[in-house]
Amino acid sequence: MVMETKTPPYMTNDKTSFAYVSCNDTGKKGEGQTIVEELTRLKYELQHDHQLTSLRDDGEPDIAQYNEELEKLGNPTWFNAPWLYSECYLYRRVNTSFNLSTYWKSYDIFARQKMSTFRSSRPAVLELAARFKELVLQIDKGKNNTSTEYEGAQEALFHEMCEICLWGNATDLSLLTSLTYEDIQKLQGSEARKNSKGNILINNLDIAYELLKKAKDEGKERRVDIVLDNAGFELYVDLILAGYLLSSGLVTHVVLHPKSIPWFVSDVLPKDFTDLLSALANPNLFYDIPSDEKRQDKTPETISDKEAEEMSFLFRQWAGFHAAGQLVLRPDRFWTHAGSFWRLPVEKDLYEDLKASELVIFKGDLNYRKLTGDAAWDPTTPFTEALGPLGPGSGINVLAMRTCKADVVVGLKPGEDEDIRASEGGGGDSGCRKWAWNGKWAVISFSGGEKGGGRVGERRH
């Protein structure tokens, strides 16, 4: 061509050029629009009771499992399918849209909601930060105390920490998306926990404490695993529990099990852990970001120096445990499979790893549903029976901590379900177990993994 420079032009494949960035921005926007269209189509299919279609292959091995199970179910429609499978299918299908893209593979569609809800939990966050620092300092002073009174106080403290962890589940984003800032505050804090104490229908924390105390007295390495549920405030209280267990010496290691993909809106991903630590490391900056309060034309009080130091204390504790290898994150694709946890023994590496733990704590409603197969058990069915292969003889000590947000519940005393149904909002003669839908009631159920199951099924209300 005439009158053209011989100097090479900028090319769209030059990664150092604005041309490359500009073209990729266009590609990213195009892919984003495609994802939106796919999600819109999914919503339409669900609303109009279409058949569930095979998941597209995104290169992950669980796709084949999902599709094989879908075929075995006879390709059901949305309104005539096992609830556990269809819910898991929904979130896995959403994930395929992102996995099959070039620019959105690692995007967490729910991330903004998670941190927004944690920011809205500020009063409870500050309350627990102050309480945790005070407790750690007290524990350090009393580590050589072997008096009966001190040991009794330690067991009471274990109960308190676990119950804080239990009720942290109250802000499950997948169910409580319309809560205001004030609503979230009412669900959290010490007064809310005191008011809810009588709503724990089964409480096997005494058995769990005895198990951990025995391991400590024997002087061996002792590990607790926590199969996580929600990010934000619930992850925060899970870390409060983990920090307490490590600081008190009750355990030497805590392994956290997050999800590998965005799941059920608010479930924990590894990045949620680092985001939470970042918020604690610089609380003034975190709370200065526009939040629900500011959108409601409210200006939150500035974090005081004392409050900032208490949150920084948490950061130093948890970051220190993490750096020392005592607090570990171990994601596994099994946690986002469609089936129940009855299938865990087939996942041999994960199964054998969990056997090395003194206690495996399963947090939240979905994990409870998966432990029990989300089956329509009679509510008096023993927890150990509903666990199937994870019950006695499994080699895994299971502690399920769950606020009830779905129909399945086991381990109740005869007549207990009927009594609660007869209470206001309980369901009455409707045939519905409405009392188990709203998170007002809770269970903390233990199953010993040795043959015979130990002291399974004891209650202390």
Side-chain angles (χ1 to χ4, degrees):
M1 290 184 288
V2 296
M3 305 298 291
E4 293 289 347
T5 177
K6 292 182 180 180
T7 303
Y10 278 106
M11 301 292 289
T12 55
N13 64 353
D14 179 0
K15 293 184 179 180
T16 66
S17 72
F18 180 70
Y20 178 85
V21 173
S22 180
C23 285
N24 281 337
D25 279 348
T26 302
K28 188 174 184 180
K29 289 176 183 176
E31 280 194 341
Q33 182 59 40
T34 298
I35 291 171
V36 170
E37 291 170 359
E38 290 172 356
L39 297 182
T40 301
R41 187 183 312 123
L42 171 59
K43 180 181 178 181
Y44 179 86
E45 290 175 12
L46 194 159
Q47 290 176 326
H48 293 83
D49 194 25
H50 286 202
Q51 277 191 327
L52 281 69
T53 57
S54 296
L55 294 177
R56 292 175 293 166
D57 186 0
D58 63 2
E60 297 294 341
D62 62 331
I63 290 292
Q65 297 177 21
Y66 269 91
N67 288 339
E68 287 169 10
E69 188 152 354
L70 182 61
E71 187 176 352
K72 288 178 182 177
L73 292 171
N75 298 106
T77 64
W78 280 101
F79 298 163
N80 189 26
W83 185 31
L84 181 61
Y85 176 84
S86 62
E87 276 197 296
C88 293
Y89 167 95
L90 171 69
Y91 287 97
R92 188 61 182 90
R93 181 164 158 184
V94 168
N95 183 243
T96 62
S97 293
F98 291 89
N99 265 0
L100 288 168
S101 71
T102 300
Y103 305 107
W104 298 89
K105 284 183 183 293
S106 60
Y107 184 73
D108 180 2
I109 192 174
F110 308 121
R112 186 182 302 174
Q113 292 166 273
K114 294 176 186 177
M115 293 312 291
S116 175
T117 304
F118 180 65
R119 191 175 287 108
S120 299
S121 304
R122 170 177 158 164
V125 168
L126 297 177
E127 176 191 333
L128 289 175
R131 177 72 171 133
F132 182 82
K133 182 179 180 181
E134 176 189 344
L135 285 174
V136 170
L137 295 178
Q138 289 177 358
I139 287 169
D140 286 343
K141 287 181 182 178
K143 274 192 173 174
N144 297 320
N145 192 333
T146 58
S147 68
T148 303
E149 291 81 5
Y150 181 78
E151 290 298 334
Q154 293 310 298
E155 181 172 2
L157 184 55
F158 173 78
H159 278 251
E160 181 182 351
M161 292 294 102
C162 287
E163 288 176 16
I164 288 172
C165 195
L166 168 72
W167 294 111
N169 176 254
T171 48
D172 180 349
L173 292 180
S174 68
L175 295 176
L176 303 178
T177 53
S178 61
L179 286 186
T180 65
Y181 179 79
E182 289 78 10
D183 291 332
I184 291 172
Q185 291 181 342
K186 290 174 185 175
L187 290 170
Q188 300 163 340
S190 58
E191 285 303 311
R193 293 193 301 275
K194 287 177 185 176
N195 294 336
S196 300
K197 199 172 184 70
N199 292 348
I200 303 176
L201 300 173
I202 302 167
N203 193 339
N204 292 155
L205 286 176
D206 54 338
I207 308 175
Y209 180 79
E210 287 176 17
L211 184 149
L212 295 177
K213 181 66 167 58
K214 181 175 182 292
K216 180 183 178 183
D217 291 343
E218 292 172 354
K220 62 181 181 180
E221 292 285 303
R222 49 208 178 273
R223 163 183 146 195
V224 162
D225 286 57
I226 305 177
V227 182
L228 299 169
D229 189 27
N230 297 314
F233 183 73
E234 186 175 354
L235 176 59
Y236 178 76
V237 295
D238 291 341
L239 290 171
I240 290 281
L241 175 62
Y244 154 72
L245 291 172
L246 291 166
S247 297
S248 67
L250 199 56
V251 306
T252 55
H253 296 84
V254 174
V255 178
L256 305 175
H257 297 269
K259 306 301 190 298
S260 302
I261 62 174
W263 192 248
F264 280 69
V265 183
S266 49
D267 281 29
V268 179
L269 298 177
K271 186 178 182 299
D272 296 321
F273 175 77
T274 56
D275 286 348
L276 182 57
L277 288 187
S278 296
L280 295 177
N282 198 336
N284 284 308
L285 177 63
F286 176 70
Y287 283 111
D288 192 50
I289 296 172
S291 65
D292 291 342
E293 275 189 314
K294 291 188 176 182
R295 280 194 289 272
Q296 296 173 19
D297 295 325
K298 298 177 182 178
T299 302
E301 294 181 15
T302 302
I303 296 288
S304 69
D305 291 343
K306 177 177 179 292
E307 291 167 336
E309 166 53 29
E310 287 162 348
M311 292 184 73
S312 295
F313 180 85
L314 282 181
F315 168 76
R316 294 192 298 272
Q317 283 275 317
W318 295 346
F321 286 135
H322 186 52
Q326 291 180 274
L327 183 63
V328 178
L329 270 73
R330 197 168 292 167
D332 194 283
R333 296 292 297 205
F334 174 76
W335 305 121
T336 53
H337 286 183
S340 76
F341 293 159
W342 282 43
R343 303 174 186 182
L344 180 57
V346 178
E347 304 290 325
K348 296 196 179 297
D349 290 345
L350 178 59
Y351 185 51
E352 292 302 318
D353 181 48
L354 293 177
K355 285 183 180 180
S357 183
E358 295 295 327
L359 182 69
V360 182
I361 299 173
F362 290 85
K363 288 293 308 296
D365 195 71
L366 178 61
N367 282 330
Y368 185 92
R369 289 169 57 198
K370 287 203 162 200
L371 283 169
T372 59
D374 202 34
W377 299 101
D378 184 289
T380 62
T381 303
F383 180 59
T384 51
E385 179 181 338
L387 289 181
L390 293 187
S394 67
I396 298 177
N397 294 319
V398 172
L399 185 72
M401 299 173 58
R402 173 246 193 163
T403 55
C404 302
K405 297 175 183 173
D407 296 282
V408 60
V409 63
V410 295
L412 300 186
K413 293 179 290 188
E416 198 165 18
D417 176 46
E418 291 80 2
D419 289 345
I420 307 176
R421 285 196 196 210
S423 65
E424 184 178 357
D429 297 328
S430 67
C432 302
R433 187 175 290 137
K434 290 184 179 180
W435 66 262
W437 298 353
N438 58 17
K440 175 183 176 181
W441 302 90
V443 295
I444 306 175
S445 301
F446 176 84
S447 171
E450 299 301 321
K451 290 183 179 179
R455 291 171 54 226
V456 174
E458 294 187 9
R459 297 180 178 85
R460 189 164 70 194
H461 293 265

